[in-house]
Amino acid sequence: MLDTTTIPLAVLLFPGGLFALAFGLALKGLDRRVAARLQGRVGPPLAQPFFDLVKLARKRTMVPDIAAEPVFLGAPLIGAVSMLLCAALVPIPGVYAPNPMLGDLLVLLYLLAVPAVVLMIAGSASGSPFGAIGFSREMALMLAYEGPLVLVVAAVALRVGSFSLTDIVAYQQTHGAFLFDPVLWPALAAFLAFYPANLGIVPFDIPEAETEVLEGPLLEYSGPALGLFKVMSALKAVVVLGLGVALFLPLAPDGLAGLAVHLAKLVVLMILGVTLLRVSMGRMRIDQAFAFFLKWPLALSLLSLAIVALA
Amino acid sequence: MTLMQTLTEKAKNLAVRSPWIYRINAGSCNGCDVECATTALIPRYDVERLGCQYCGSPRHADIVLITGPLTARIKEDVLRVFAEIPDPKVTVAVGVCPISGGIFRESYAVNAEVDHYLPVDINVPGCPPRPQAIIEGVAQAIALWRQRI
């Protein structure tokens, strides 16, 4: 189990790295395609995010005169690398269990916060007023959703008695999935409110709102640097949805069938939880989103933690 | 070297399937802008199927649509925004105004023709042009862009 030679493989090839990136881009393409169909359009091909990435790699990166250049160019790199590490930390039930040397749920929690921090740094380093607005909105939103996330994770970990995702998956395989465990339903509801905010989709795409602040922190980015942000967001979709599966519904057979089941779960989650949500809702204001998170998800996750602690 | 060249060709073929479009209104009467929006937004002319995406930031743009006769008031800003767009890019002038000034051609307040100030690659004449014409202009721009990227 503690064979360290497989760690680079897990980070760079499977299930992190290339595999997660390819799957994440496919998920993004599916999302755009399904959204177009729901609006009565034909929509782009499934591989569109991949074309976008190749295009961005061939463009020039421009750095604004007033930007802090090392930070401006370093931020997307840090974001993409942190998500690369994250992808290797999420188990695929029946197929892949992360090496304990690599880290557990706590490391994942910290790494999951990096993209938001990176966006804040990028927004302020770019020197653009829209970037600054994006920065302040991102910070407010992050303060609002990080609390519930930590409490949800704490509730699940307390139920299992371990912060290792491998243990959490194993526990559910013997005791039944937490999706059907009423004790953890409030935590599930809180998680369902958390992930749209973390993935930055409507109703919670407030920091990058295209029609208000012109993509905020990403406004000044072009070429390969913007491409790295696209890589980061594709990997983040796989990580966050994969985390949801590992926490609440990790039941799957072993081997290739298990991989297929896992990927199918992510596709269903993407279409039902992301695409349908974003085409059917409008964007909230930052104060509304802040109040929402401090009211419902926080209360629900606290409730869940209390029930688990008492049960 | 040959492998490098084939890979570059392959990458080019993939890259041209992702042209992001940016609109600059250089003092247009909004007629052409409405047609541009129609081209992009309504299901009938969905350009997203070509991989096109309207972007809000000039830094993300590949194909620039310019409308209007470049009024004196907005000239400096248009030139500045145009300089912000990273190479390689292609410029499409939409409507008759960028070509000759259109109905504003004798006004003291316009700087048409636009190609005195900006490298216009493709003209889409019309007052305003139909969405089909704009799509054809964009398609020609993609072909030109392929040689530059």
Side-chain angles (χ1 to χ4, degrees):
Chain A
M1 197 63 199
L2 278 170
D3 184 13
T4 48
T5 51
T6 56
I7 287 183
L9 204 67
V11 172
L12 293 175
L13 213 57
F14 178 87
L18 276 181
F19 176 78
L21 178 60
F23 189 58
L25 290 176
L27 278 181
K28 291 262 166 186
L30 185 74
D31 170 50
R32 276 177 71 178
R33 180 99 181 162
V34 173
R37 283 297 162 88
L38 289 170
Q39 293 167 345
R41 295 183 287 123
V42 177
L46 272 185
Q48 188 60 45
F50 178 68
F51 300 147
D52 292 348
L53 215 53
V54 175
K55 190 275 302 282
L56 288 172
R58 296 189 65 83
K59 294 275 284 187
R60 198 155 73 85
T61 294
M62 292 172 98
V63 182
D65 293 339
I66 49 169
E69 192 172 340
V71 184
F72 183 79
L73 295 177
L77 200 63
I78 294 170
V81 169
S82 74
M83 279 299 106
L84 209 59
L85 289 173
C86 255
L89 281 174
V90 178
I92 299 178
V95 182
Y96 168 78
N99 192 324
M101 297 269 287
L102 205 57
D104 56 7
L105 202 44
L106 289 178
V107 179
L108 189 68
L109 274 187
Y110 277 103
L111 283 176
L112 257 186
V114 172
V117 175
V118 154
L119 277 177
M120 287 182 220
I121 294 173
S124 55
S126 70
S128 147
F130 290 110
I133 299 173
F135 164 81
S136 78
R137 290 180 174 194
E138 184 81 57
M139 189 153 64
L141 195 62
M142 190 187 167
L143 281 176
Y145 72 63
E146 279 295 306
L149 171 69
V150 172
L151 290 172
V152 165
V153 166
V156 171
L158 193 63
R159 184 85 172 138
V160 176
S162 163
F163 264 114
S164 156
L165 269 172
T166 317
D167 289 349
I168 291 173
V169 168
Y171 181 91
Q172 292 182 72
Q173 268 161 352
T174 49
H175 294 77
F178 286 154
L179 183 63
F180 309 112
D181 185 353
V183 170
L184 282 167
W185 280 350
L188 176 65
F191 187 82
L192 289 180
F194 150 77
Y195 81 82
N198 190 271
L199 293 181
I201 55 167
V202 180
F204 301 120
D205 67 334
I206 310 157
E208 287 123 67
E210 222 178 335
T211 40
E212 293 169 23
V213 291
L214 307 172
E215 305 193 27
L218 301 184
L219 173 71
E220 294 287 350
Y221 279 92
S222 57
L226 182 62
L228 278 176
F229 275 119
K230 301 277 174 200
V231 167
M232 179 179 97
S233 105
L235 286 173
K236 197 159 80 172
V238 174
V239 168
V240 173
L241 297 181
L243 177 67
V245 168
L247 286 182
F248 293 105
L249 188 63
L251 307 181
D254 283 347
L256 268 182
L259 184 64
V261 168
H262 183 75
L263 297 189
K265 278 181 202 161
L266 292 197
V267 166
V268 170
L269 259 180
M270 190 76 183
I271 292 176
L272 291 183
V274 175
T275 315
L276 274 182
L277 187 70
R278 84 181 173 91
V279 297
S280 56
M281 289 196 76
R283 185 181 304 121
M284 280 188 181
R285 287 197 319 265
I286 186 67
D287 57 319
Q288 290 171 328
F290 196 75
F292 168 78
F293 272 100
L294 290 193
K295 235 181 269 167
W296 296 106
L298 194 65
L300 284 170
S301 50
L302 271 175
L303 177 71
S304 196
L305 191 62
I307 300 176
V308 170
L310 293 175
Chain B
M1 193 58 206
T2 45
L3 177 70
M4 218 34 225
Q5 275 166 350
T6 30
L7 279 181
T8 315
E9 281 303 303
K10 284 230 160 84
K12 271 187 185 181
N13 286 338
L14 295 178
V16 289
R17 297 184 67 174
S18 160
W20 289 357
I21 299 177
Y22 181 68
R23 284 173 293 169
I24 298 180
N25 181 332
S28 154
C29 70
N30 254 343
C32 294
D33 297 286
V34 170
E35 296 300 319
C36 283
T38 309
T39 313
L41 296 178
I42 75 169
R44 186 166 182 169
Y45 306 110
D46 175 33
V47 286
E48 203 185 0
R49 66 188 150 178
L50 304 176
C52 293
Q53 207 176 30
Y54 272 66
C55 46
S57 162
R59 302 245 188 231
H60 302 178
D62 304 305
I63 291 174
V64 196
L65 303 184
I66 295 184
T67 57
L70 195 62
T71 53
R73 178 115 187 155
I74 207 146
K75 187 180 133 203
E76 288 309 315
D77 297 313
V78 168
L79 296 184
R80 222 182 111 194
V81 168
F82 191 83
E84 301 268 312
I85 301 169
D87 289 323
K89 59 191 167 198
V90 178
T91 317
V92 181
V94 176
V96 77
C97 289
I99 302 175
S100 67
I103 58 167
F104 308 111
R105 65 189 169 277
E106 273 151 21
S107 166
Y108 61 89
V110 303
N111 289 297
E113 303 81 80
V114 169
D115 61 359
H116 287 176
Y117 302 95
L118 298 173
V120 173
D121 295 299
I122 287 153
N123 281 310
V124 181
C127 187
R130 293 176 66 83
Q132 292 92 327
I134 299 177
I135 292 176
E136 200 196 343
V138 170
Q140 287 182 17
I142 293 172
L144 196 62
W145 185 46
R146 198 195 173 290
Q147 298 162 13
R148 294 184 188 170
I149 197 163

PDB file of all heavy atoms in Angstrom, chain B residues 78-104:
ATOM      1  N   VAL B  78     -11.007  53.193 -29.401  1.00  0.00           N
ATOM      2  CA  VAL B  78     -11.046  52.013 -30.273  1.00  0.00           C
ATOM      3  C   VAL B  78      -9.625  51.553 -30.593  1.00  0.00           C
ATOM      4  O   VAL B  78      -9.315  50.352 -30.515  1.00  0.00           O
ATOM      5  CB  VAL B  78     -11.806  52.329 -31.583  1.00  0.00           C
ATOM      6  CG1 VAL B  78     -11.594  51.229 -32.605  1.00  0.00           C
ATOM      7  CG2 VAL B  78     -13.283  52.497 -31.303  1.00  0.00           C
ATOM      8  N   LEU B  79      -8.738  52.499 -30.892  1.00  0.00           N
ATOM      9  CA  LEU B  79      -7.358  52.120 -31.200  1.00  0.00           C
ATOM     10  C   LEU B  79      -6.699  51.454 -29.996  1.00  0.00           C
ATOM     11  O   LEU B  79      -5.943  50.497 -30.131  1.00  0.00           O
ATOM     12  CB  LEU B  79      -6.548  53.356 -31.632  1.00  0.00           C
ATOM     13  CG  LEU B  79      -7.023  54.020 -32.929  1.00  0.00           C
ATOM     14  CD1 LEU B  79      -6.109  55.166 -33.310  1.00  0.00           C
ATOM     15  CD2 LEU B  79      -7.098  53.004 -34.068  1.00  0.00           C
ATOM     16  N   ARG B  80      -7.008  51.974 -28.812  1.00  0.00           N
ATOM     17  CA  ARG B  80      -6.417  51.403 -27.602  1.00  0.00           C
ATOM     18  C   ARG B  80      -6.908  49.979 -27.364  1.00  0.00           C
ATOM     19  O   ARG B  80      -6.120  49.071 -27.085  1.00  0.00           O
ATOM     20  CB  ARG B  80      -6.778  52.286 -26.400  1.00  0.00           C
ATOM     21  CG  ARG B  80      -5.602  52.488 -25.461  1.00  0.00           C
ATOM     22  CD  ARG B  80      -6.031  53.312 -24.281  1.00  0.00           C
ATOM     23  NE  ARG B  80      -6.039  52.486 -23.080  1.00  0.00           N
ATOM     24  CZ  ARG B  80      -6.622  52.841 -21.954  1.00  0.00           C
ATOM     25  NH1 ARG B  80      -7.260  53.982 -21.883  1.00  0.00           N
ATOM     26  NH2 ARG B  80      -6.584  52.063 -20.914  1.00  0.00           N
ATOM     27  N   VAL B  81      -8.232  49.794 -27.489  1.00  0.00           N
ATOM     28  CA  VAL B  81      -8.789  48.453 -27.278  1.00  0.00           C
ATOM     29  C   VAL B  81      -8.242  47.488 -28.323  1.00  0.00           C
ATOM     30  O   VAL B  81      -7.903  46.338 -28.015  1.00  0.00           O
ATOM     31  CB  VAL B  81     -10.331  48.498 -27.321  1.00  0.00           C
ATOM     32  CG1 VAL B  81     -10.900  47.096 -27.400  1.00  0.00           C
ATOM     33  CG2 VAL B  81     -10.881  49.208 -26.112  1.00  0.00           C
ATOM     34  N   PHE B  82      -8.111  47.977 -29.556  1.00  0.00           N
ATOM     35  CA  PHE B  82      -7.609  47.100 -30.620  1.00  0.00           C
ATOM     36  C   PHE B  82      -6.194  46.623 -30.296  1.00  0.00           C
ATOM     37  O   PHE B  82      -5.835  45.470 -30.547  1.00  0.00           O
ATOM     38  CB  PHE B  82      -7.624  47.838 -31.964  1.00  0.00           C
ATOM     39  CG  PHE B  82      -7.368  46.928 -33.133  1.00  0.00           C
ATOM     40  CD1 PHE B  82      -8.392  46.179 -33.685  1.00  0.00           C
ATOM     41  CD2 PHE B  82      -6.095  46.813 -33.665  1.00  0.00           C
ATOM     42  CE1 PHE B  82      -8.157  45.328 -34.747  1.00  0.00           C
ATOM     43  CE2 PHE B  82      -5.848  45.958 -34.732  1.00  0.00           C
ATOM     44  CZ  PHE B  82      -6.884  45.217 -35.274  1.00  0.00           C
ATOM     45  N   ALA B  83      -5.379  47.498 -29.722  1.00  0.00           N
ATOM     46  CA  ALA B  83      -4.004  47.138 -29.383  1.00  0.00           C
ATOM     47  C   ALA B  83      -3.946  46.105 -28.259  1.00  0.00           C
ATOM     48  O   ALA B  83      -2.956  45.398 -28.095  1.00  0.00           O
ATOM     49  CB  ALA B  83      -3.219  48.379 -28.976  1.00  0.00           C
ATOM     50  N   GLU B  84      -5.030  46.002 -27.483  1.00  0.00           N
ATOM     51  CA  GLU B  84      -5.070  45.055 -26.371  1.00  0.00           C
ATOM     52  C   GLU B  84      -5.311  43.622 -26.838  1.00  0.00           C
ATOM     53  O   GLU B  84      -5.188  42.694 -26.054  1.00  0.00           O
ATOM     54  CB  GLU B  84      -6.216  45.414 -25.409  1.00  0.00           C
ATOM     55  CG  GLU B  84      -6.136  46.786 -24.828  1.00  0.00           C
ATOM     56  CD  GLU B  84      -5.396  46.802 -23.512  1.00  0.00           C
ATOM     57  OE1 GLU B  84      -5.701  45.964 -22.669  1.00  0.00           O
ATOM     58  OE2 GLU B  84      -4.491  47.634 -23.377  1.00  0.00           O
ATOM     59  N   ILE B  85      -5.710  43.451 -28.098  1.00  0.00           N
ATOM     60  CA  ILE B  85      -6.078  42.117 -28.566  1.00  0.00           C
ATOM     61  C   ILE B  85      -4.814  41.373 -28.976  1.00  0.00           C
ATOM     62  O   ILE B  85      -4.070  41.853 -29.817  1.00  0.00           O
ATOM     63  CB  ILE B  85      -7.060  42.215 -29.749  1.00  0.00           C
ATOM     64  CG1 ILE B  85      -8.308  42.968 -29.300  1.00  0.00           C
ATOM     65  CG2 ILE B  85      -7.418  40.844 -30.265  1.00  0.00           C
ATOM     66  CD1 ILE B  85      -9.215  43.361 -30.422  1.00  0.00           C
ATOM     67  N   PRO B  86      -4.555  40.205 -28.366  1.00  0.00           N
ATOM     68  CA  PRO B  86      -3.306  39.496 -28.663  1.00  0.00           C
ATOM     69  C   PRO B  86      -3.284  38.923 -30.078  1.00  0.00           C
ATOM     70  O   PRO B  86      -4.320  38.494 -30.591  1.00  0.00           O
ATOM     71  CB  PRO B  86      -3.273  38.387 -27.605  1.00  0.00           C
ATOM     72  CG  PRO B  86      -4.679  38.190 -27.203  1.00  0.00           C
ATOM     73  CD  PRO B  86      -5.363  39.494 -27.362  1.00  0.00           C
ATOM     74  N   ASP B  87      -2.119  38.925 -30.685  1.00  0.00           N
ATOM     75  CA  ASP B  87      -1.943  38.304 -32.005  1.00  0.00           C
ATOM     76  C   ASP B  87      -1.920  36.794 -31.844  1.00  0.00           C
ATOM     77  O   ASP B  87      -1.573  36.299 -30.788  1.00  0.00           O
ATOM     78  CB  ASP B  87      -0.622  38.774 -32.617  1.00  0.00           C
ATOM     79  CG  ASP B  87      -0.701  40.229 -33.037  1.00  0.00           C
ATOM     80  OD1 ASP B  87      -1.779  40.618 -33.502  1.00  0.00           O
ATOM     81  OD2 ASP B  87       0.293  40.940 -32.880  1.00  0.00           O
ATOM     82  N   PRO B  88      -2.243  36.006 -32.866  1.00  0.00           N
ATOM     83  CA  PRO B  88      -2.752  36.416 -34.168  1.00  0.00           C
ATOM     84  C   PRO B  88      -4.251  36.699 -34.136  1.00  0.00           C
ATOM     85  O   PRO B  88      -4.994  35.995 -33.493  1.00  0.00           O
ATOM     86  CB  PRO B  88      -2.460  35.193 -35.026  1.00  0.00           C
ATOM     87  CG  PRO B  88      -2.458  34.048 -34.079  1.00  0.00           C
ATOM     88  CD  PRO B  88      -2.016  34.560 -32.765  1.00  0.00           C
ATOM     89  N   LYS B  89      -4.652  37.765 -34.828  1.00  0.00           N
ATOM     90  CA  LYS B  89      -6.064  38.137 -34.851  1.00  0.00           C
ATOM     91  C   LYS B  89      -6.472  38.502 -36.277  1.00  0.00           C
ATOM     92  O   LYS B  89      -5.620  38.777 -37.118  1.00  0.00           O
ATOM     93  CB  LYS B  89      -6.310  39.315 -33.916  1.00  0.00           C
ATOM     94  CG  LYS B  89      -5.492  40.550 -34.290  1.00  0.00           C
ATOM     95  CD  LYS B  89      -5.546  41.591 -33.199  1.00  0.00           C
ATOM     96  CE  LYS B  89      -4.492  42.667 -33.428  1.00  0.00           C
ATOM     97  NZ  LYS B  89      -4.200  43.447 -32.247  1.00  0.00           N
ATOM     98  N   VAL B  90      -7.777  38.503 -36.525  1.00  0.00           N
ATOM     99  CA  VAL B  90      -8.316  38.875 -37.828  1.00  0.00           C
ATOM    100  C   VAL B  90      -9.395  39.917 -37.605  1.00  0.00           C
ATOM    101  O   VAL B  90     -10.171  39.810 -36.649  1.00  0.00           O
ATOM    102  CB  VAL B  90      -8.916  37.646 -38.553  1.00  0.00           C
ATOM    103  CG1 VAL B  90      -9.504  38.056 -39.874  1.00  0.00           C
ATOM    104  CG2 VAL B  90      -7.870  36.579 -38.750  1.00  0.00           C
ATOM    105  N   THR B  91      -9.425  40.945 -38.441  1.00  0.00           N
ATOM    106  CA  THR B  91     -10.382  42.028 -38.263  1.00  0.00           C
ATOM    107  C   THR B  91     -11.453  41.974 -39.351  1.00  0.00           C
ATOM    108  O   THR B  91     -11.124  41.907 -40.537  1.00  0.00           O
ATOM    109  CB  THR B  91      -9.671  43.386 -38.336  1.00  0.00           C
ATOM    110  OG1 THR B  91      -8.471  43.291 -37.585  1.00  0.00           O
ATOM    111  CG2 THR B  91     -10.545  44.478 -37.775  1.00  0.00           C
ATOM    112  N   VAL B  92     -12.706  41.989 -38.935  1.00  0.00           N
ATOM    113  CA  VAL B  92     -13.824  42.000 -39.874  1.00  0.00           C
ATOM    114  C   VAL B  92     -14.596  43.306 -39.669  1.00  0.00           C
ATOM    115  O   VAL B  92     -15.016  43.599 -38.555  1.00  0.00           O
ATOM    116  CB  VAL B  92     -14.770  40.805 -39.642  1.00  0.00           C
ATOM    117  CG1 VAL B  92     -15.906  40.815 -40.640  1.00  0.00           C
ATOM    118  CG2 VAL B  92     -14.013  39.501 -39.709  1.00  0.00           C
ATOM    119  N   ALA B  93     -14.740  44.102 -40.734  1.00  0.00           N
ATOM    120  CA  ALA B  93     -15.521  45.329 -40.638  1.00  0.00           C
ATOM    121  C   ALA B  93     -16.951  45.011 -41.066  1.00  0.00           C
ATOM    122  O   ALA B  93     -17.182  44.564 -42.186  1.00  0.00           O
ATOM    123  CB  ALA B  93     -14.919  46.413 -41.516  1.00  0.00           C
ATOM    124  N   VAL B  94     -17.904  45.209 -40.160  1.00  0.00           N
ATOM    125  CA  VAL B  94     -19.301  44.854 -40.428  1.00  0.00           C
ATOM    126  C   VAL B  94     -20.095  46.115 -40.769  1.00  0.00           C
ATOM    127  O   VAL B  94     -20.042  47.103 -40.024  1.00  0.00           O
ATOM    128  CB  VAL B  94     -19.917  44.137 -39.213  1.00  0.00           C
ATOM    129  CG1 VAL B  94     -21.387  43.861 -39.437  1.00  0.00           C
ATOM    130  CG2 VAL B  94     -19.177  42.846 -38.926  1.00  0.00           C
ATOM    131  N   GLY B  95     -20.806  46.082 -41.881  1.00  0.00           N
ATOM    132  CA  GLY B  95     -21.625  47.212 -42.290  1.00  0.00           C
ATOM    133  C   GLY B  95     -20.887  48.120 -43.263  1.00  0.00           C
ATOM    134  O   GLY B  95     -19.682  47.971 -43.474  1.00  0.00           O
ATOM    135  N   VAL B  96     -21.624  49.067 -43.797  1.00  0.00           N
ATOM    136  CA  VAL B  96     -21.035  49.936 -44.815  1.00  0.00           C
ATOM    137  C   VAL B  96     -20.254  51.095 -44.169  1.00  0.00           C
ATOM    138  O   VAL B  96     -19.355  51.654 -44.784  1.00  0.00           O
ATOM    139  CB  VAL B  96     -22.119  50.448 -45.785  1.00  0.00           C
ATOM    140  CG1 VAL B  96     -22.938  51.551 -45.162  1.00  0.00           C
ATOM    141  CG2 VAL B  96     -21.517  50.884 -47.102  1.00  0.00           C
ATOM    142  N   CYS B  97     -20.572  51.414 -42.932  1.00  0.00           N
ATOM    143  CA  CYS B  97     -19.909  52.548 -42.275  1.00  0.00           C
ATOM    144  C   CYS B  97     -18.387  52.435 -42.204  1.00  0.00           C
ATOM    145  O   CYS B  97     -17.687  53.395 -42.510  1.00  0.00           O
ATOM    146  CB  CYS B  97     -20.492  52.763 -40.881  1.00  0.00           C
ATOM    147  SG  CYS B  97     -22.156  53.423 -40.918  1.00  0.00           S
ATOM    148  N   PRO B  98     -17.833  51.295 -41.787  1.00  0.00           N
ATOM    149  CA  PRO B  98     -16.370  51.219 -41.738  1.00  0.00           C
ATOM    150  C   PRO B  98     -15.733  51.341 -43.120  1.00  0.00           C
ATOM    151  O   PRO B  98     -14.559  51.694 -43.225  1.00  0.00           O
ATOM    152  CB  PRO B  98     -16.095  49.829 -41.152  1.00  0.00           C
ATOM    153  CG  PRO B  98     -17.349  49.430 -40.495  1.00  0.00           C
ATOM    154  CD  PRO B  98     -18.447  50.069 -41.275  1.00  0.00           C
ATOM    155  N   ILE B  99     -16.488  51.024 -44.185  1.00  0.00           N
ATOM    156  CA  ILE B  99     -15.926  51.086 -45.539  1.00  0.00           C
ATOM    157  C   ILE B  99     -15.868  52.531 -46.025  1.00  0.00           C
ATOM    158  O   ILE B  99     -14.829  53.027 -46.460  1.00  0.00           O
ATOM    159  CB  ILE B  99     -16.770  50.237 -46.515  1.00  0.00           C
ATOM    160  CG1 ILE B  99     -16.827  48.783 -46.021  1.00  0.00           C
ATOM    161  CG2 ILE B  99     -16.209  50.316 -47.926  1.00  0.00           C
ATOM    162  CD1 ILE B  99     -17.723  47.903 -46.848  1.00  0.00           C
ATOM    163  N   SER B 100     -17.012  53.241 -45.922  1.00  0.00           N
ATOM    164  CA  SER B 100     -17.065  54.581 -46.523  1.00  0.00           C
ATOM    165  C   SER B 100     -17.635  55.647 -45.588  1.00  0.00           C
ATOM    166  O   SER B 100     -17.615  56.815 -45.912  1.00  0.00           O
ATOM    167  CB  SER B 100     -17.947  54.525 -47.779  1.00  0.00           C
ATOM    168  OG  SER B 100     -19.281  54.277 -47.379  1.00  0.00           O
ATOM    169  N   GLY B 101     -18.154  55.233 -44.447  1.00  0.00           N
ATOM    170  CA  GLY B 101     -18.858  56.183 -43.596  1.00  0.00           C
ATOM    171  C   GLY B 101     -20.358  56.063 -43.736  1.00  0.00           C
ATOM    172  O   GLY B 101     -21.097  56.606 -42.921  1.00  0.00           O
ATOM    173  N   GLY B 102     -20.820  55.363 -44.792  1.00  0.00           N
ATOM    174  CA  GLY B 102     -22.241  55.128 -44.981  1.00  0.00           C
ATOM    175  C   GLY B 102     -23.032  56.428 -44.996  1.00  0.00           C
ATOM    176  O   GLY B 102     -22.627  57.409 -45.636  1.00  0.00           O
ATOM    177  N   ILE B 103     -24.134  56.474 -44.260  1.00  0.00           N
ATOM    178  CA  ILE B 103     -24.960  57.676 -44.266  1.00  0.00           C
ATOM    179  C   ILE B 103     -24.295  58.824 -43.515  1.00  0.00           C
ATOM    180  O   ILE B 103     -24.735  59.961 -43.578  1.00  0.00           O
ATOM    181  CB  ILE B 103     -26.366  57.409 -43.676  1.00  0.00           C
ATOM    182  CG1 ILE B 103     -26.245  56.888 -42.254  1.00  0.00           C
ATOM    183  CG2 ILE B 103     -27.161  56.476 -44.537  1.00  0.00           C
ATOM    184  CD1 ILE B 103     -27.568  56.898 -41.515  1.00  0.00           C
ATOM    185  N   PHE B 104     -23.211  58.549 -42.803  1.00  0.00           N
ATOM    186  CA  PHE B 104     -22.516  59.611 -42.066  1.00  0.00           C
ATOM    187  C   PHE B 104     -21.301  60.130 -42.837  1.00  0.00           C
ATOM    188  O   PHE B 104     -20.483  60.847 -42.284  1.00  0.00           O
ATOM    189  CB  PHE B 104     -22.034  59.077 -40.701  1.00  0.00           C
ATOM    190  CG  PHE B 104     -23.104  58.419 -39.902  1.00  0.00           C
ATOM    191  CD1 PHE B 104     -23.082  57.052 -39.677  1.00  0.00           C
ATOM    192  CD2 PHE B 104     -24.146  59.164 -39.367  1.00  0.00           C
ATOM    193  CE1 PHE B 104     -24.074  56.434 -38.941  1.00  0.00           C
ATOM    194  CE2 PHE B 104     -25.130  58.559 -38.612  1.00  0.00           C
ATOM    195  CZ  PHE B 104     -25.102  57.198 -38.402  1.00  0.00           C
TER     196      PHE B 104
END
